[in-house]
Amino acid sequence: ALMRFFVDPASAPALWISGVPIDDLPICETWLLGVARILGVPYGMLGFYTSNARGGLIRDLAPKPGLGGINNPDIRLSFHRDVPANIVGADCEPDGFLLLAARGDPGHQAKTLVCSNRALAARLAPLELAALRRSPIRAECVRSGTGDVSPYGMPFHAVEGPEDDPKITLFYIPAHREFTHRIVSDDPETQAAYDHAVEIASEICDGVDLQAGDLLVINNARCNHGRTPFTPRLDGTDRWLLKTFVSASGWRRPSQMGED
């Protein structure tokens, strides 16, 4: 399944592997990067992630006082694809990423939410899919103090690619003390369809309770993902995930956009 993960269009959009034998941090890192190397080339983003990057190749996802964004356990991370090229505009969109649990959430509240794009498209009405293909939507940041609105990234089409293998982009910006975000479209039908897509994703997604030794492999082109909120203990027993991105490189997946 791993060897065919990116090259076979019929592959599962995500893989959940349990029982990875981890004993300490170096073993965790070895498994994370070893499996990533089977899939392609692991890499990080120093310019994109500045907190808990550990040199950029491996990122720690763990609650820590003072850290915001995706490390803030109190917020629900809504559905999104990581670093989507159609929004960010840079050639750094990962083909996939891996999450390996060094520790799970002892309260079993924290769940990684995974929604298949095929399953999501099957639940949207044909007119909704047409609207999401027809008109772009955009992310906007609203400044807390002034109410000023500024764009985030580029306008994008939420649905692209073939009908039987759609590339669906949902987007989310984590909570920030200086601004809130919103996703808008000038086309009312597209706006309504996008909002409905987010609702459906919440209904049909799989919630994965990653515990120690669990490895989750996600195809970034065929899934949107998120995370439920949880209450940290801050006593050294909290959920701790190790993350790395993967470029399929020599194992390049067929693109829904007709590219290599």
Side-chain angles (χ1 to χ4, degrees), residues 210-226:
L210 291 170
Q211 293 295 316
D214 285 345
L215 175 64
L216 185 62
V217 185
I218 290 183
N219 187 321
N220 196 44
R222 294 189 166 97
C223 282
N224 282 267
H225 66 282

Side-chain angles (χ1 to χ4, degrees), residues 10-66:
S11 292
L15 297 175
W16 181 7
I17 303 171
S18 296
V20 176
I22 56 172
D23 296 316
D24 51 31
L25 182 58
I27 298 297
C28 289
E29 294 174 343
T30 299
W31 275 106
L32 181 74
L33 298 179
V35 174
R37 192 65 186 93
I38 292 173
L39 293 164
V41 178
Y43 71 97
M45 297 182 188
L46 278 177
F48 195 81
Y49 293 120
T50 56
S51 299
N52 280 13
R54 282 215 281 142
L57 184 57
I58 296 175
R59 189 176 191 201
D60 298 294
L61 301 180
K64 182 179 178 182

Side-chain angles (χ1 to χ4, degrees), residues 86-105:
N86 56 347
I87 300 175
V88 178
D91 187 23
C92 59
E93 178 180 319
D95 292 299
F97 61 90
L98 287 72
L99 297 172
L100 176 60
R103 287 195 304 261
D105 175 21

Side-chain angles (χ1 to χ4, degrees), residues 138-142 149-152 173 179-184:
R138 64 188 180 274
E140 295 181 341
C141 297
V142 182
V149 177
S150 59
Y152 184 97
I173 302 174
F179 61 81
T180 58
H181 89 283
R182 63 191 184 192
I183 307 295
V184 297

